[in-house]
Amino acid sequence: MISKLHYISQGKSPEEHLQNIKNACSSGAETVQLRLKNVEEDIVLETAKKVKEITDNFQTRLIINDYYKVAIAIKADGVHLGKTDACPNLVRKELASWQIIGGTANTLKDCEALIEKSRLYWFRSV
């Protein structure tokens, strides 16, 4: 089921993201997406570990934006892939079966392309 309140993190620094995520969780967010842009992967990993502690405490789902290897490392609930990120079919092979994949879709054509990719994956893996 899709959460009623989904927070996509924002801030000028990882510390601001952490504080904003804490505030969102304490305000009832059911899903949090850690969205750090233009940051080295090791900083994303360290920040994600701290976010995982927060979301676990509040029993909030955690999605990692772009960095699927970070999502795997911290056992996040899933990953969100942008249009230029790794192919969802390749990422699916790396994630646990319970981890979800979200994708950016700004148009109906984008939606259809993501649906087709998922169909191709499931057809090949059956």
Side-chain angles (χ1 to χ4, degrees):
M1 175 152 57
I2 297 175
S3 302
K4 293 178 185 173
L5 182 55
H6 184 137
Y7 174 71
I8 300 173
S9 74
Q10 56 189 344
K12 295 178 182 170
S13 67
E15 293 75 23
E16 281 189 32
H17 280 261
L18 287 169
Q19 187 57 53
N20 291 334
I21 287 169
K22 224 180 263 187
N23 292 341
C25 288
S26 65
S27 297
E30 296 173 353
T31 301
V32 166
Q33 181 176 323
L34 176 61
R35 186 177 188 264
L36 290 170
K37 291 292 188 177
N38 304 314
V39 177
E40 297 293 324
E41 188 166 351
D42 60 328
I43 294 172
V44 175
L45 176 60
E46 290 309 309
T47 306
K49 288 176 183 177
K50 294 173 185 172
V51 172
K52 181 81 164 109
E53 290 178 23
I54 295 167
T55 56
D56 283 353
N57 183 54
F58 285 94
Q59 297 180 338
T60 302
R61 289 183 193 94
L62 174 58
I63 305 298
I64 304 297
N65 195 73
D66 301 340
Y67 296 89
Y68 73 92
K69 290 180 182 177
V70 170
I72 293 167
I74 67 161
K75 295 182 171 64
D77 295 290
V79 64
H80 176 89
L81 301 173
K83 291 180 182 182
T84 61
D85 293 330
C87 175
N89 290 339
L90 298 176
V91 173
R92 171 49 55 210
K93 293 175 185 177
E94 301 291 323
L95 294 177
S97 61
W98 51 268
Q99 289 175 304
I100 63 171
I101 299 174
T104 299
N106 304 104
T107 66
L108 180 57
K109 187 174 180 176
D110 293 342
C111 291
E112 290 168 343
L114 286 170
I115 290 167
E116 185 59 27
K117 283 181 183 180
S118 68
R119 282 187 187 139
L120 290 173
Y121 172 79
W122 291 113
F123 178 72
R124 286 187 201 135
S125 61
V126 173

